Amino acid sequence: MFRLLLLLPLLLGLLASPARAQTPSAVPVALSSPLKTYALRLKPGDDLRQQLAAFVQAHHIAAGTMLTCVGSLTVATLRLANQEGPSVYRGHFEIVSLVGTLSTNGSHLHLAVADSTGRTIGGHLLDGCVVYTTAEIVVGELPALEFRRETDSTFGYKELEVYPAPVLPVRSSKKSGLKPAK
């Protein structure tokens, strides 16, 4: 038994060595931004995805994120993992998660819903998710960034690329009637 205890660290080291032998990937470059938040509520009959897209366009959100969403649906329309077309579920569902990125240049959102037994299903949020009683939403905007969707050569999908937000020219205040502070 004593010999086995002496060999244990050696055996564990051998088992762990393949993981250590892998080359660590480079740390991804990340840009930061202050956060501006919006709170809104969707009403019965609203289409969850369409209303979010309209909100993003109306507020010119170039880089945003879903912070939270709770509510209920009578129809959940999702694109499931590795499937081409939509899957439509009818009934009463609780929204248990809505996460993703939002942008006037294209959004990428995943929705998870649970039925009355607690069975949960999730996938890409598609048009056709109809609000039952409410959808209480908090959206975050990252004003110093711009999200774009660009084709990634690995699989050919349009994937997220993050850029600094374009700097807008400052307008002159000569005609504003404002006087400089003394």
Short mmCIF file of all heavy atoms in Angstrom, two decimals, residues 35-70:
data_model
loop_
_atom_site.label_atom_id
_atom_site.label_comp_id
_atom_site.label_asym_id
_atom_site.label_seq_id
_atom_site.Cartn_x
_atom_site.Cartn_y
_atom_site.Cartn_z
N LEU A 35 -20.98 50.93 -20.37
CA LEU A 35 -22.25 50.26 -20.63
C LEU A 35 -23.41 51.21 -20.39
O LEU A 35 -23.49 51.85 -19.35
CB LEU A 35 -22.39 49.04 -19.72
CG LEU A 35 -23.65 48.20 -19.87
CD1 LEU A 35 -23.68 47.51 -21.24
CD2 LEU A 35 -23.73 47.17 -18.76
N LYS A 36 -24.30 51.29 -21.37
CA LYS A 36 -25.54 52.06 -21.24
C LYS A 36 -26.66 51.02 -21.27
O LYS A 36 -26.62 50.09 -22.07
CB LYS A 36 -25.68 53.01 -22.42
CG LYS A 36 -26.93 53.85 -22.43
CD LYS A 36 -26.94 54.79 -23.63
CE LYS A 36 -28.18 55.63 -23.65
NZ LYS A 36 -28.20 56.53 -24.82
N THR A 37 -27.64 51.15 -20.38
CA THR A 37 -28.69 50.13 -20.31
C THR A 37 -30.06 50.70 -20.66
O THR A 37 -30.33 51.88 -20.46
CB THR A 37 -28.74 49.50 -18.91
OG1 THR A 37 -28.94 50.51 -17.94
CG2 THR A 37 -27.46 48.75 -18.61
N TYR A 38 -30.89 49.81 -21.19
CA TYR A 38 -32.28 50.12 -21.53
C TYR A 38 -33.16 49.03 -20.92
O TYR A 38 -32.82 47.86 -21.00
CB TYR A 38 -32.51 50.09 -23.04
CG TYR A 38 -31.70 51.07 -23.85
CD1 TYR A 38 -30.45 50.72 -24.34
CD2 TYR A 38 -32.21 52.33 -24.15
CE1 TYR A 38 -29.71 51.60 -25.11
CE2 TYR A 38 -31.47 53.22 -24.93
CZ TYR A 38 -30.22 52.85 -25.40
OH TYR A 38 -29.50 53.73 -26.17
N ALA A 39 -34.28 49.43 -20.36
CA ALA A 39 -35.25 48.46 -19.85
C ALA A 39 -36.55 48.64 -20.62
O ALA A 39 -37.00 49.77 -20.83
CB ALA A 39 -35.48 48.68 -18.36
N LEU A 40 -37.14 47.54 -21.05
CA LEU A 40 -38.38 47.62 -21.81
C LEU A 40 -39.23 46.39 -21.53
O LEU A 40 -38.74 45.39 -21.02
CB LEU A 40 -38.11 47.75 -23.31
CG LEU A 40 -37.34 46.61 -23.98
CD1 LEU A 40 -37.93 46.36 -25.36
CD2 LEU A 40 -35.88 46.99 -24.10
N ARG A 41 -40.49 46.51 -21.89
CA ARG A 41 -41.41 45.38 -21.74
C ARG A 41 -42.17 45.18 -23.04
O ARG A 41 -42.71 46.15 -23.61
CB ARG A 41 -42.42 45.65 -20.62
CG ARG A 41 -43.43 44.52 -20.53
CD ARG A 41 -44.48 44.74 -19.47
NE ARG A 41 -45.46 43.68 -19.59
CZ ARG A 41 -46.77 43.87 -19.67
NH1 ARG A 41 -47.28 45.07 -19.60
NH2 ARG A 41 -47.58 42.84 -19.80
N LEU A 42 -42.21 43.94 -23.50
CA LEU A 42 -43.04 43.59 -24.64
C LEU A 42 -44.37 43.09 -24.13
O LEU A 42 -44.47 42.51 -23.04
CB LEU A 42 -42.36 42.53 -25.51
CG LEU A 42 -40.99 42.90 -26.06
CD1 LEU A 42 -40.49 41.80 -26.98
CD2 LEU A 42 -41.01 44.24 -26.77
N LYS A 43 -45.42 43.28 -24.92
CA LYS A 43 -46.78 42.95 -24.51
C LYS A 43 -47.29 41.70 -25.23
O LYS A 43 -46.69 41.23 -26.20
CB LYS A 43 -47.68 44.14 -24.84
CG LYS A 43 -47.18 45.44 -24.22
CD LYS A 43 -48.14 46.00 -23.25
CE LYS A 43 -47.51 47.14 -22.48
NZ LYS A 43 -48.11 48.39 -22.64
N PRO A 44 -48.42 41.16 -24.77
CA PRO A 44 -48.99 39.97 -25.40
C PRO A 44 -49.17 40.16 -26.91
O PRO A 44 -49.61 41.21 -27.37
CB PRO A 44 -50.34 39.83 -24.71
CG PRO A 44 -50.14 40.44 -23.36
CD PRO A 44 -49.20 41.60 -23.61
N GLY A 45 -48.76 39.12 -27.65
CA GLY A 45 -48.89 39.12 -29.11
C GLY A 45 -47.67 39.66 -29.84
O GLY A 45 -47.54 39.47 -31.05
N ASP A 46 -46.76 40.35 -29.13
CA ASP A 46 -45.55 40.87 -29.77
C ASP A 46 -44.65 39.72 -30.21
O ASP A 46 -44.59 38.68 -29.56
CB ASP A 46 -44.75 41.77 -28.81
CG ASP A 46 -45.36 43.15 -28.62
OD1 ASP A 46 -46.22 43.55 -29.42
OD2 ASP A 46 -44.96 43.83 -27.65
N ASP A 47 -43.94 39.93 -31.31
CA ASP A 47 -42.93 38.98 -31.78
C ASP A 47 -41.60 39.37 -31.14
O ASP A 47 -41.09 40.47 -31.37
CB ASP A 47 -42.83 39.02 -33.30
CG ASP A 47 -41.86 37.98 -33.84
OD1 ASP A 47 -40.63 38.12 -33.58
OD2 ASP A 47 -42.31 37.05 -34.52
N LEU A 48 -41.04 38.49 -30.32
CA LEU A 48 -39.85 38.78 -29.54
C LEU A 48 -38.68 39.25 -30.40
O LEU A 48 -38.10 40.31 -30.16
CB LEU A 48 -39.47 37.54 -28.72
CG LEU A 48 -38.29 37.64 -27.77
CD1 LEU A 48 -38.47 38.74 -26.75
CD2 LEU A 48 -38.07 36.29 -27.08
N ARG A 49 -38.35 38.50 -31.41
CA ARG A 49 -37.18 38.84 -32.25
C ARG A 49 -37.43 40.10 -33.06
O ARG A 49 -36.56 40.97 -33.15
CB ARG A 49 -36.82 37.69 -33.17
CG ARG A 49 -35.55 37.96 -33.97
CD ARG A 49 -35.09 36.71 -34.71
NE ARG A 49 -33.88 36.92 -35.44
CZ ARG A 49 -33.81 37.40 -36.68
NH1 ARG A 49 -34.92 37.71 -37.33
NH2 ARG A 49 -32.65 37.55 -37.27
N GLN A 50 -38.62 40.23 -33.65
CA GLN A 50 -38.91 41.41 -34.45
C GLN A 50 -38.89 42.68 -33.62
O GLN A 50 -38.38 43.72 -34.06
CB GLN A 50 -40.26 41.26 -35.14
CG GLN A 50 -40.26 40.23 -36.25
CD GLN A 50 -41.63 40.03 -36.87
OE1 GLN A 50 -42.59 40.71 -36.56
NE2 GLN A 50 -41.72 39.04 -37.76
N GLN A 51 -39.43 42.61 -32.41
CA GLN A 51 -39.44 43.79 -31.54
C GLN A 51 -38.02 44.16 -31.08
O GLN A 51 -37.68 45.35 -31.01
CB GLN A 51 -40.34 43.58 -30.33
CG GLN A 51 -41.82 43.54 -30.68
CD GLN A 51 -42.30 44.87 -31.24
OE1 GLN A 51 -41.98 45.93 -30.74
NE2 GLN A 51 -43.06 44.80 -32.31
N LEU A 52 -37.19 43.17 -30.80
CA LEU A 52 -35.80 43.46 -30.44
C LEU A 52 -35.06 44.10 -31.61
O LEU A 52 -34.32 45.07 -31.44
CB LEU A 52 -35.08 42.19 -29.99
CG LEU A 52 -35.39 41.72 -28.58
CD1 LEU A 52 -34.80 40.33 -28.33
CD2 LEU A 52 -34.88 42.72 -27.55
N ALA A 53 -35.28 43.58 -32.82
CA ALA A 53 -34.63 44.14 -34.01
C ALA A 53 -35.08 45.58 -34.24
O ALA A 53 -34.26 46.46 -34.54
CB ALA A 53 -34.92 43.28 -35.23
N ALA A 54 -36.37 45.84 -34.06
CA ALA A 54 -36.89 47.20 -34.23
C ALA A 54 -36.30 48.14 -33.18
O ALA A 54 -35.95 49.29 -33.48
CB ALA A 54 -38.42 47.20 -34.15
N PHE A 55 -36.17 47.66 -31.94
CA PHE A 55 -35.59 48.47 -30.87
C PHE A 55 -34.14 48.82 -31.18
O PHE A 55 -33.72 49.97 -31.03
CB PHE A 55 -35.69 47.70 -29.54
CG PHE A 55 -35.15 48.48 -28.38
CD1 PHE A 55 -35.95 49.40 -27.71
CD2 PHE A 55 -33.84 48.30 -27.96
CE1 PHE A 55 -35.44 50.14 -26.65
CE2 PHE A 55 -33.33 49.03 -26.90
CZ PHE A 55 -34.13 49.95 -26.25
N VAL A 56 -33.36 47.84 -31.63
CA VAL A 56 -31.96 48.06 -31.96
C VAL A 56 -31.84 49.08 -33.09
O VAL A 56 -31.00 49.99 -33.03
CB VAL A 56 -31.29 46.71 -32.35
CG1 VAL A 56 -29.95 46.92 -33.03
CG2 VAL A 56 -31.14 45.84 -31.11
N GLN A 57 -32.68 48.98 -34.11
CA GLN A 57 -32.65 49.93 -35.22
C GLN A 57 -33.06 51.33 -34.76
O GLN A 57 -32.41 52.32 -35.10
CB GLN A 57 -33.56 49.46 -36.37
CG GLN A 57 -33.09 48.21 -37.08
CD GLN A 57 -31.74 48.37 -37.76
OE1 GLN A 57 -31.38 49.41 -38.28
NE2 GLN A 57 -30.96 47.28 -37.74
N ALA A 58 -34.12 51.42 -33.97
CA ALA A 58 -34.63 52.72 -33.52
C ALA A 58 -33.62 53.46 -32.63
O ALA A 58 -33.56 54.69 -32.64
CB ALA A 58 -35.95 52.54 -32.75
N HIS A 59 -32.82 52.71 -31.87
CA HIS A 59 -31.84 53.32 -30.97
C HIS A 59 -30.42 53.31 -31.55
O HIS A 59 -29.47 53.68 -30.87
CB HIS A 59 -31.88 52.63 -29.60
CG HIS A 59 -33.12 52.96 -28.85
ND1 HIS A 59 -34.30 52.26 -29.02
CD2 HIS A 59 -33.38 53.93 -27.95
CE1 HIS A 59 -35.22 52.80 -28.25
NE2 HIS A 59 -34.70 53.80 -27.59
N HIS A 60 -30.29 52.88 -32.80
CA HIS A 60 -29.01 52.87 -33.52
C HIS A 60 -27.92 52.16 -32.70
O HIS A 60 -26.81 52.66 -32.54
CB HIS A 60 -28.57 54.30 -33.87
CG HIS A 60 -29.63 55.09 -34.55
ND1 HIS A 60 -30.01 54.86 -35.85
CD2 HIS A 60 -30.43 56.09 -34.08
CE1 HIS A 60 -30.99 55.69 -36.18
NE2 HIS A 60 -31.27 56.44 -35.11
N ILE A 61 -28.24 50.99 -32.18
CA ILE A 61 -27.31 50.23 -31.35
C ILE A 61 -26.37 49.45 -32.26
O ILE A 61 -26.75 48.46 -32.87
CB ILE A 61 -28.05 49.31 -30.36
CG1 ILE A 61 -28.89 50.15 -29.40
CG2 ILE A 61 -27.07 48.41 -29.62
CD1 ILE A 61 -29.76 49.36 -28.45
N ALA A 62 -25.12 49.91 -32.33
CA ALA A 62 -24.11 49.25 -33.17
C ALA A 62 -23.45 48.08 -32.43
O ALA A 62 -22.90 47.19 -33.07
CB ALA A 62 -23.06 50.26 -33.61
N ALA A 63 -23.50 48.11 -31.10
CA ALA A 63 -22.93 47.01 -30.30
C ALA A 63 -23.75 46.90 -29.02
O ALA A 63 -23.76 47.81 -28.20
CB ALA A 63 -21.46 47.27 -29.97
N GLY A 64 -24.46 45.78 -28.89
CA GLY A 64 -25.29 45.60 -27.71
C GLY A 64 -25.28 44.17 -27.24
O GLY A 64 -24.78 43.27 -27.93
N THR A 65 -25.86 43.97 -26.06
CA THR A 65 -25.93 42.63 -25.49
C THR A 65 -27.24 42.48 -24.72
O THR A 65 -27.78 43.45 -24.20
CB THR A 65 -24.74 42.37 -24.54
OG1 THR A 65 -24.81 41.03 -24.07
CG2 THR A 65 -24.69 43.32 -23.38
N MET A 66 -27.75 41.26 -24.70
CA MET A 66 -28.93 40.96 -23.88
C MET A 66 -28.43 40.77 -22.45
O MET A 66 -27.63 39.89 -22.19
CB MET A 66 -29.61 39.67 -24.34
CG MET A 66 -30.44 39.80 -25.57
SD MET A 66 -31.81 40.95 -25.45
CE MET A 66 -32.64 40.37 -24.00
N LEU A 67 -28.91 41.60 -21.54
CA LEU A 67 -28.53 41.44 -20.14
C LEU A 67 -29.49 40.48 -19.44
O LEU A 67 -29.05 39.64 -18.66
CB LEU A 67 -28.50 42.79 -19.43
CG LEU A 67 -27.44 43.76 -19.97
CD1 LEU A 67 -27.55 45.11 -19.28
CD2 LEU A 67 -26.05 43.17 -19.78
N THR A 68 -30.78 40.61 -19.72
CA THR A 68 -31.74 39.67 -19.15
C THR A 68 -33.06 39.75 -19.91
O THR A 68 -33.37 40.76 -20.53
CB THR A 68 -31.97 39.93 -17.64
OG1 THR A 68 -32.70 38.84 -17.08
CG2 THR A 68 -32.72 41.22 -17.39
N CYS A 69 -33.80 38.66 -19.84
CA CYS A 69 -35.16 38.61 -20.37
C CYS A 69 -35.90 37.51 -19.64
O CYS A 69 -35.44 36.37 -19.60
CB CYS A 69 -35.16 38.33 -21.88
SG CYS A 69 -36.83 38.13 -22.56
N VAL A 70 -37.04 37.88 -19.05
CA VAL A 70 -37.94 36.88 -18.47
C VAL A 70 -39.32 37.16 -19.01
O VAL A 70 -39.65 38.28 -19.37
CB VAL A 70 -37.94 36.91 -16.92
CG1 VAL A 70 -36.59 36.50 -16.38
CG2 VAL A 70 -38.35 38.27 -16.40
#
